[in-house]
Amino acid sequence: MAARSTGRGEVIARLFAAIPANYLLTSLVTAGLARLLWLGFGVDAANASATATLASFALFAVLALTAFGMRSVGRVWLGMSVAAIVIGAALWLSFMTGGRL
């Protein structure tokens, strides 16, 4: 069976998923995790922010590897888009009900 060649468009789409889209999704998750730790688990704001920020480095690396590891670039974008919408909506609701961190 011949190896499937990867076109430039697919590589560019994966690069945009691995860097700017990944940064957006990671920042949403980081903000949501900090708020969850602060409001949900009672961790003070400074420690909640620091913990979420440290976790964001691992998340960014995993998402970047996932962007290139999945077979379908469409699934990469679909998964990242759905996750960003869900987490962004939850974060927005959190801001509307609980104020700032």
Side-chain angles (χ1 to χ4, degrees):
M1 179 182 271
R4 190 182 77 138
S5 67
T6 305
R8 284 185 182 162
E10 185 174 327
V11 172
I12 290 171
R14 288 179 188 272
L15 279 172
F16 275 104
I19 301 169
N22 184 2
Y23 184 80
L24 173 69
L25 183 57
T26 302
S27 62
L28 286 172
V29 170
T30 303
L33 179 60
R35 290 191 62 80
L36 178 67
L37 289 171
W38 179 53
L39 295 173
F41 293 106
V43 178
D44 63 293
N47 284 331
S49 295
T51 302
T53 301
L54 287 172
S56 73
F57 294 113
L59 178 64
F60 189 88
V62 167
L63 288 175
L65 290 171
T66 302
F68 287 99
M70 290 183 74
R71 283 189 180 191
S72 169
V73 71
R75 285 188 183 189
V76 170
W77 277 101
L78 179 65
M80 291 181 86
S81 299
V82 169
I85 290 169
V86 169
I87 294 168
L91 187 60
W92 181 78
L93 285 172
S94 172
F95 281 134
M96 292 297 113
T97 60
R100 295 185 64 167
L101 180 61

